[in-house]
């Protein structure tokens, strides 16, 4: 790979072998760790919608519940820290990535009032939607929790160079398309900005040197609207 054309040459390199390849290819950046709704590497925590590796220490009751997952959290923490350290030894700048931001599920137990029902128009979609409760980005408490969570992640790796996150409308439980009575009239652009600002604040509070990026994976309306659009097109 030539090193003369592009100032930033990054490889998605979450394995040791990929980081070795990145260095050999002439890359100067590596995305070394990604988290979000995925099947975790550890069987100790099979729940996919849980952003490890944090305890949310700023919330003692939540942290106490999450210590039941200590093996999984410590495993992921070690992977994160070792991945950054290895990339640094290979002369690479490092980025970590939240793929679909979420909040620790234990918050639902400790702060059930944060989880709100959908507006009645959406609740007509299905029984699952009627029973569903999600945190709302229009609630300042939710944004503050996101900020503190991100700060805890960034604090784990003092040598980190960049933090990126994606947002979409599926498993994140911090959805910008969420619609409850609190955010019924809030435009999507404001929900997007609130989410982005909350993540940025967490990064900056932990380490002002870390660069911040946000990435749009996709935008869509609620599934109920999707279905109605499909029905209209099929008729």
């Amino acid at each position: 790979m030539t090193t003369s054309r592009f100032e930033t040459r990054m490889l998605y390199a979450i394995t040791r072998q990929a980081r070795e390849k990145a260095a050999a290819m002439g890359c100067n950046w590596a995305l070394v760790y990604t988290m979000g709704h995925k099947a975790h590497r550890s069987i100790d925590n099979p729940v996919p919608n849980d952003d490890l590796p944090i305890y949310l220490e700023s919330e003692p009751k939540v942290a106490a519940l999450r210590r039941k997952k200590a093996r999984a959290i410590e495993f992921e923490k070690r992977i994160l820290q070792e991945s950054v350290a290895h990339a640094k030894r290979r002369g690479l700048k490092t980025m970590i990535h939240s793929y679909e931001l979420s909040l620790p599920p234990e918050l639902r137990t400790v702060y059930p009032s944060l989880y709100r029902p959908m507006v009645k128009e959406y609740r007509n979609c299905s029984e699952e939607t009627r029973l569903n409760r999600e945190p709302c980005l229009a609630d300042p408490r939710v944004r503050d929790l996101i900020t503190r969570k991100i700060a805890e992640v960034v604090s784990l790796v003092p040598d980190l160079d960049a933090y990126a996150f994606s947002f979409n409308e599926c498993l994140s439980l911090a959805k910008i398309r969420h619609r409850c009575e609190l955010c019924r009239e809030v435009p999507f652009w404001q929900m997007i900005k609130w989410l982005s600002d909350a993540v940025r604040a967490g990064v900056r509070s932990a380490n002002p040197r870390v660069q911040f990026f946000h990435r749009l994976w996709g935008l869509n309306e609620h599934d109920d609207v999707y279905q109605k659009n499909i029905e209209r097109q099929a008729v």
Side-chain angles (χ1 to χ4, degrees):
M1 175 187 290
T2 178
T3 60
S4 61
R5 293 186 179 181
F6 301 103
E7 181 179 345
T8 300
R9 302 177 299 280
M10 183 183 295
L11 187 68
Y12 183 89
I14 63 172
T15 66
R16 178 176 291 268
Q17 293 87 345
R19 291 188 291 272
E20 295 286 352
K21 185 68 172 178
M25 290 169 60
C27 293
N28 55 3
W29 279 83
L31 196 160
V32 300
Y33 184 89
T34 186
M35 56 189 168
H37 65 271
K38 62 179 181 179
H40 290 292
R41 288 175 287 257
S42 172
I43 62 172
D44 295 305
N45 183 31
V47 180
N49 187 33
D50 185 0
D51 278 353
L52 299 176
I54 57 102
Y55 290 100
L56 201 63
E57 297 285 7
S58 61
E59 289 291 336
K61 292 182 179 179
V62 174
L65 291 173
R66 288 183 68 72
R67 294 199 191 285
K68 298 176 183 178
K69 302 174 180 176
R71 283 186 59 183
I73 290 173
E74 293 301 321
F75 177 85
E76 290 287 335
K77 187 187 298 186
R78 186 172 67 254
I79 292 293
L80 168 59
Q81 293 171 332
E82 290 177 354
S83 297
V84 171
H86 178 247
K88 288 292 185 178
R89 290 195 299 271
R90 303 303 297 154
L92 299 166
K93 291 186 176 181
T94 56
M95 173 185 284
I96 61 176
H97 175 233
S98 294
Y99 186 77
E100 288 290 344
L101 190 68
S102 67
L103 286 170
E106 292 80 6
L107 283 165
R108 193 182 294 269
T109 299
V110 178
Y111 298 119
S113 65
L114 291 177
Y115 293 77
R116 300 171 179 271
M118 298 280 194
V119 293
K120 63 181 181 180
E121 295 91 336
Y122 287 1
R123 294 198 299 270
N124 292 332
C125 176
S126 66
E127 182 177 3
E128 181 180 355
T129 303
R130 284 194 294 276
L131 298 175
N132 190 36
R133 301 291 184 272
E134 294 176 353
C136 178
L137 289 165
D139 188 334
R141 298 174 298 170
V142 171
R143 302 198 298 273
D144 179 62
L145 285 165
I146 290 172
T147 294
R148 285 186 275 149
K149 178 196 133 174
I150 298 302
E152 187 171 332
V153 173
V154 173
S155 296
L156 293 174
V157 277
D159 290 337
L160 186 68
D161 295 293
Y163 187 101
F165 86 101
S166 296
F167 64 92
N168 193 353
E169 320 313 327
C170 52
L171 298 178
S172 68
L173 295 190
K175 299 174 182 175
I176 62 95
R177 71 159 166 86
H178 171 79
R179 280 291 178 260
C180 65
E181 292 303 326
L182 183 64
C183 66
R184 175 188 284 274
E185 302 302 327
V186 178
F188 281 174
W189 70 262
Q190 180 64 75
M191 301 287 273
I192 293 170
K193 187 174 187 304
W194 274 333
L195 178 58
S196 180
D197 287 350
V199 178
R200 181 186 288 107
V203 173
R204 295 287 181 260
S205 66
N207 188 343
R209 184 187 61 82
V210 173
Q211 296 183 58
F212 168 75
F213 301 90
H214 74 252
R215 170 176 173 260
L216 171 62
W217 177 259
L219 285 174
N220 59 267
E221 248 295 355
H222 187 268
D223 291 342
D224 188 28
V225 179
Y226 263 177
Q227 184 61 35
K228 289 177 180 176
N229 285 338
I230 292 171
E231 291 172 357
R232 281 194 292 269
Q233 294 172 25
V235 172

